[in-house]
């Protein structure tokens, strides 16, 4: 009798059942449904951080330009611009704009790949999503 039971056990240990495989696939699907939106949100945060970082780099270049030429510049690229002062925009930032408000104030704008515009003025504390109100 023990030989017969041993043979039955060996025949049953052939693999997984269809129900077991479906349960594993469902669990993987649930985990993917949770993880993918979290990943996409982190990527958007990185794009926004790159736009804010570009504003800080532009701020340093603008003040460096002021030290060299005794005036602010509105050009981002060219021989007399922020790039000539060492500013290198990130690849994920679009629509970088420099505006002069009065003779002694500037307003920088960069738009992240998510479409969110960020502004930085020389009288503001840091990058914001509201336009500059320099005086």
């Amino acid at each position: 009798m023990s030989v017969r039971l041993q043979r039955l056990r060996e025949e049953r240990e052939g693999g997984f059942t269809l129900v077991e495989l479906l349960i594993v696939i469902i669990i993987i699907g649930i985990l993917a449904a949770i993880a993918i939106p979290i990943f996409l949100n982190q990527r958007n945060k990185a794009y926004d951080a790159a736009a804010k970082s570009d504003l800080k780099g532009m701020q340093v270049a603008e003040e460096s330009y002021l030290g060299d030429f005794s005036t602010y510049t509105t050009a981002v690229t060219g021989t007399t611009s922020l790039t000539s002062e060492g500013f290198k925009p990130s690849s994920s930032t679009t629509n970088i704009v420099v505006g002069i408000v009065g003779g002694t104030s500037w307003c920088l704008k960069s738009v992240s790949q998510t479409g969110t515009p960020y502004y930085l003025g020389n009288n503001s504390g840091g990058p914001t999503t509201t336009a500059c109100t320099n005086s």
Side-chain angles (χ1 to χ4, degrees):
M1 182 89 167
S2 66
V3 175
R4 185 174 178 198
L5 286 175
Q6 188 177 4
R7 261 192 225 151
L8 284 175
R9 283 189 201 149
E10 288 175 3
E11 289 176 5
R12 284 185 161 179
E13 295 178 12
F16 298 107
T17 66
L18 180 61
V19 173
E20 292 170 332
L21 292 175
L22 287 175
I23 290 173
V24 169
I25 290 172
I26 289 171
I27 291 171
I28 291 172
I30 291 170
L31 292 175
I34 293 170
I36 290 173
I38 292 172
F39 168 74
L40 293 176
N41 190 31
Q42 292 300 322
R43 187 173 62 174
N44 290 341
K45 285 182 182 179
Y47 290 144
D48 291 344
K52 292 175 186 177
S53 176
D54 280 350
L55 286 175
K56 289 296 196 176
M58 290 166 61
Q59 176 185 19
V60 170
E62 192 72 68
E63 295 300 333
S64 176
Y65 189 89
L66 175 67
D68 291 344
F69 299 101
S70 299
T71 185
Y72 291 117
T73 182
T74 57
V76 177
T77 60
T79 55
T80 57
S81 64
L82 296 180
T83 56
S84 68
E85 295 297 321
F87 170 66
K88 293 180 177 63
S90 64
S91 60
S92 65
T93 303
T94 60
N95 194 15
I96 297 173
V97 178
V98 179
I100 302 298
V101 183
T104 59
S105 297
W106 46 260
C107 180
L108 308 171
K109 174 187 174 187
S110 70
V111 180
S112 76
Q113 227 171 18
T114 62
T116 306
Y118 290 98
Y119 301 91
L120 178 65
N122 61 333
N123 294 331
S124 63
T128 64
T129 55
T130 58
C132 301
T133 58
N134 292 340
S135 55

